[in-house]
């Protein structure tokens, strides 16, 4: 049954290349963000159907003004390699030498959701390393915007756990991470457990170092899980 469900939710081949758009968003009162938008082959989609959105926050190594860097990892890489992800993928780029501006990311997400016929009940947030930190911070700021969150090898503020305790979360971390200690994710797990969270799950890779994102984003089960989440 699970294999059939995955096949129905996440076809891993696509007859047509996804549509790629590069643009820039001037966030009111925040950082201007260049962004990559990847839209799946529209053929299987009903003309008037609202589509799910995955917002991807990259790590510190992809900051700058070259959007090609944003394609290196995660959902953008998967979508552009032709794996047929059934989402619109939004990947903003953090300016060089800066950290994720939470207000700018939220404003951009809302802008794209309104402009691209996105289902407001199926907006998902994920990020790795610096983007993992950004994911934890953004759901603490605006948990009602998202249907799920997938922070990878990042950390958050345990004191904020009660704010998003009802949000479906799947967090990942490598046990041997020497860049962001696995204790950062374990602290969030404890905080969510103490807050009474029922929809949070945590995966730890015993042999993984900082790169715990490659095997995570390569797994179709992650995207199938996202497809099952809806507000």
């Amino acid at each position: 049954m699970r294999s059939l469900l995955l096949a129905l939710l996440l076809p891993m081949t696509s007859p047509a290349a996804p549509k790629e758009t590069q643009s820039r968003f001037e966030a009111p009162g925040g950082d201007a963000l260049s962004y990559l938008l990847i839209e799946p082959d529209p053929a299987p989609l009903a003309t008037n159907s609202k589509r799910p959105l995955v917002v991807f926050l990259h790590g510190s190594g992809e900051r700058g003004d070259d959007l090609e860097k944003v394609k290196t990892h995660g959902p953008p890489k998967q979508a552009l390699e032709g794996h047929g992800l059934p989402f619109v993928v939004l990947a903003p780029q953090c300016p060089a030498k800066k950290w994720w501006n939470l207000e700018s990311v939220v404003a951009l997400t809302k802008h794209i959701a309104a402009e691209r016929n996105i289902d407001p009940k199926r907006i998902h947030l994920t990020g790795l390393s610096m983007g993992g930190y950004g994911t934890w911070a953004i759901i603490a700021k605006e948990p009602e915007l998202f249907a799920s969150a997938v922070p990878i090898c990042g950390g958050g503020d345990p004191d904020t756990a009660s704010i998003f305790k009802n949000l479906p979360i799947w967090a990942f971390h490598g046990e041997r991470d020497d860049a962001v200690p696995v204790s950062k994710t374990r602290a969030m797990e404890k905080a969510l457990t103490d807050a009474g969270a029922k929809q949070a799950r945590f995966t730890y890779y015993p042999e993984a170092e900082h790169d715990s994102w490659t095997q995570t984003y390569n797994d179709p089960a992650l995207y199938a899980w996202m497809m099952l989440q809806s507000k």
Side-chain angles (χ1 to χ4, degrees):
M1 174 62 76
R2 180 171 175 79
S3 297
L4 176 59
L5 180 62
L6 289 179
L8 290 172
L9 289 175
L10 192 65
M12 294 304 289
T13 59
S14 178
K19 177 184 176 182
E20 175 187 338
T21 303
Q22 297 187 6
S23 191
R24 189 167 177 83
F25 176 71
E26 299 290 338
D31 288 336
L33 294 174
S34 296
Y35 65 89
L36 176 68
L37 191 71
I38 305 168
E39 299 177 85
D41 172 21
L45 300 173
T47 304
N48 61 349
S49 67
K50 290 188 176 293
R51 302 176 293 178
L53 174 69
V54 171
V55 181
F56 169 67
L57 304 182
H58 61 71
S60 61
E62 290 74 59
R63 290 179 290 187
D65 56 8
D66 179 5
L67 277 170
E68 292 302 308
K69 291 182 177 180
V70 179
K71 304 175 184 179
T72 306
H73 304 295
K77 181 176 186 290
Q78 294 289 317
L80 292 172
E81 286 182 349
H83 293 296
L85 299 188
F87 305 98
V88 175
V89 176
L90 170 62
Q93 186 171 40
C94 184
K97 299 181 181 180
K98 289 195 174 185
W99 201 255
W100 285 111
N101 184 300
L102 310 185
E103 290 78 10
S104 295
V105 173
V106 168
L108 173 60
T109 300
K110 291 179 177 179
H111 169 74
I112 293 297
E115 184 183 71
R116 298 290 176 149
N117 199 33
I118 299 299
D119 185 345
K121 294 183 177 181
R122 294 188 295 161
I123 299 175
H124 311 273
L125 178 65
T126 184
L128 64 90
S129 194
M130 185 183 81
Y133 277 94
T135 298
W136 286 116
I138 288 171
I139 61 174
K141 177 179 176 60
E142 195 135 1
E144 297 301 322
L145 181 59
F146 302 100
S148 75
V150 181
I152 302 173
C153 61
D157 180 356
D159 290 339
T160 64
S162 62
I163 298 172
F164 47 79
K165 67 179 182 179
N166 295 320
L167 181 68
I169 295 169
W170 194 354
F172 297 81
H173 215 123
E175 295 274 10
R176 299 187 178 186
D177 193 330
D178 59 359
V180 179
V182 68
S183 60
K184 296 292 186 180
T185 293
R186 292 198 184 279
M188 296 308 296
E189 179 179 15
K190 181 180 185 304
L192 281 164
T193 300
D194 292 346
K198 303 298 184 184
Q199 299 188 80
R201 57 194 299 185
F202 295 81
T203 296
Y204 300 100
Y205 300 117
E207 302 302 321
E209 298 180 352
H210 190 46
D211 181 2
S212 52
W213 56 82
T214 297
Q215 56 190 314
T216 299
Y217 288 128
N218 282 349
D219 188 353
L222 172 64
Y223 305 105
W225 177 83
M226 284 182 173
M227 284 292 286
L228 289 171
Q229 310 310 317
S230 178
K231 293 192 297 181

